[in-house]
Amino acid sequence: LPILTLFTGILAYHSVRDEREHLFREAKERSWMLAKTLSITFKFYHQNSLDVNLQKIMASITGETSAKILAFNVYDKNGNLVDSVCLKCANIQIPHKVISYDEILPDGKEERFFASNRDLFSVVYPIISEKEVGGAVEVITSLEYIDVILATARRRFIFFSITAALLLGMVVYLIIRLNVSNLIKNLKEASEKLGMGESSFRIGESGVAERDELIRVFNRMAENLEKRTQERETFYEEKLRLERNLRHSEKLASIGQLVSGLAHELGTPLNIISGRAQYL
């Protein structure tokens, strides 16, 4: 589990980092595309004046992407702000500036900055008509939605990680339950039978290498125990046989002593009788 947690954390970090880079790159491409589109619009349809209904133009150009666009600015040929449309600037104070065409010609300029603690991205693109700079347009995109998307992705990743960890824990538990617990149960029953004197009892192999190794060790122990039991029984049987022979020899010796005592006790009066008889 610690290794899984570490691997999950590393994977989450790289996934979030890659997703952030992807979303930021997407925001840059969208801002550049809108800035170029707006520049072309002013170039071909509003050559004489920049005084137009900018909000209407923005609505027709952006469409569904307007949710991620914060503001549009239009500058005259001197770099002064002519018009500005801020779609979602209720709590954001965007600083107005005078642009220098030396910095943005000929391919435009991008900038990332913070305003009112908001992460913003700006693209300024010149309006060039017949090789003359007629002004410039600026597209400002809020990058806050990236943090919202990443926060959702992190929550989703954490949820799936916890779910995967729980499922993995259940699988591990079942494996332990089915393999280790059953093996321990079999070893316990076998040990009880060996303790009751059934030294010939053996556990059958299961087909799992690790379990079979432990089972073989137990069976070898049971074989050694049976062998020692047989040797001990043989030793005790031999000892009992010797003891029986010894007791039999002792009995024979006792009988011999009894017979010799009786012979002596009977022989003495018989000798007296024989002597007296000879004398008479």
Side-chain angles (χ1 to χ4, degrees):
L1 287 179
I3 296 176
L4 177 62
T5 304
L6 178 61
F7 176 76
T8 303
I10 295 173
L11 180 61
Y13 170 77
H14 286 286
S15 299
V16 171
R17 186 189 64 180
D18 294 342
E19 184 65 16
R20 182 184 295 275
E21 293 177 355
H22 170 73
L23 292 173
F24 180 65
R25 187 164 55 249
E26 183 183 73
K28 286 177 60 176
E29 293 174 355
R30 183 188 308 110
S31 299
W32 275 101
M33 181 189 68
L34 290 175
K36 291 179 180 179
T37 303
L38 190 57
S39 174
I40 294 172
T41 301
F42 277 98
K43 175 181 177 180
F44 290 102
Y45 298 101
H46 305 283
Q47 297 180 2
N48 299 324
S49 175
L50 298 177
D51 186 13
V52 296
N53 190 341
L54 185 59
Q55 189 162 3
K56 185 177 180 180
I57 295 175
M58 297 304 103
S60 63
I61 292 176
T62 58
E64 296 179 357
T65 61
S66 61
K68 300 173 183 177
I69 304 300
L70 184 64
F72 294 95
N73 294 328
V74 179
Y75 299 90
D76 61 16
K77 60 182 179 180
N78 296 319
N80 297 314
L81 183 65
V82 176
D83 196 3
S84 177
V85 173
C86 194
L87 303 177
K88 297 180 180 180
C89 298
N91 300 320
I92 304 177
Q93 189 69 29
I94 299 178
H96 297 293
K97 59 187 176 181
V98 178
I99 64 173
S100 173
Y101 288 103
D102 294 334
E103 297 179 357
I104 67 172
L105 289 175
D107 299 323
K109 177 185 177 182
E110 67 179 37
E111 179 185 7
R112 188 172 181 176
F113 63 97
F114 287 87
S116 303
N117 295 325
R118 303 292 180 91
D119 191 7
L120 306 177
F121 180 76
S122 167
V123 173
V124 182
Y125 199 82
I127 303 172
I128 302 176
S129 178
E130 297 180 357
K131 299 183 179 180
E132 285 188 11
V133 178
V137 293
E138 182 181 18
V139 178
I140 300 177
T141 304
S142 175
L143 301 179
E144 283 190 326
Y145 77 95
I146 295 179
D147 294 329
V148 174
I149 293 175
L150 292 178
T152 303
R154 280 193 292 267
R155 287 194 296 269
R156 188 180 299 114
F157 197 88
I158 291 173
F159 172 76
F160 284 120
S161 298
I162 294 175
T163 303
L166 292 175
L167 291 176
L168 180 61
M170 292 178 62
V171 171
V172 172
Y173 172 77
L174 291 176
I175 292 174
I176 294 175
R177 182 72 177 177
L178 295 176
N179 291 279
V180 178
S181 298
N182 290 341
L183 178 61
I184 293 175
K185 181 180 178 180
N186 294 335
L187 291 175
K188 180 181 177 182
E189 293 177 355
S191 300
E192 291 176 351
K193 290 184 178 181
L194 288 178
M196 295 173 63
E198 298 181 21
S199 57
S200 61
F201 181 80
R202 300 291 184 272
I203 302 177
E205 296 187 0
S206 62
V208 181
E210 292 78 6
R211 294 182 60 184
D212 290 344
E213 181 64 25
L214 184 59
I215 290 172
R216 284 192 289 269
V217 171
F218 180 85
N219 289 336
R220 284 196 297 270
M221 180 191 71
E223 291 175 1
N224 293 331
L225 183 61
E226 183 181 14
K227 183 178 179 181
R228 298 292 182 274
T229 302
Q230 292 176 353
E231 292 177 352
R232 186 170 58 252
E233 290 177 354
T234 303
F235 172 77
Y236 285 138
E237 289 176 358
E238 183 67 20
K239 182 179 179 182
L240 290 174
R241 187 180 65 80
L242 292 175
E243 287 179 352
R244 284 196 297 268
N245 292 336
L246 181 61
R247 285 196 295 270
H248 182 68
S249 298
E250 290 177 351
K251 289 179 180 178
L252 292 177
S254 298
I255 292 174
Q257 291 178 357
L258 178 61
V259 171
S260 62
L262 290 174
H264 176 72
E265 293 297 329
L266 292 175
T268 300
L270 289 176
N271 289 331
I272 295 172
I273 294 172
S274 175
R276 295 286 178 90
Q278 290 176 3
Y279 180 73
L280 290 177

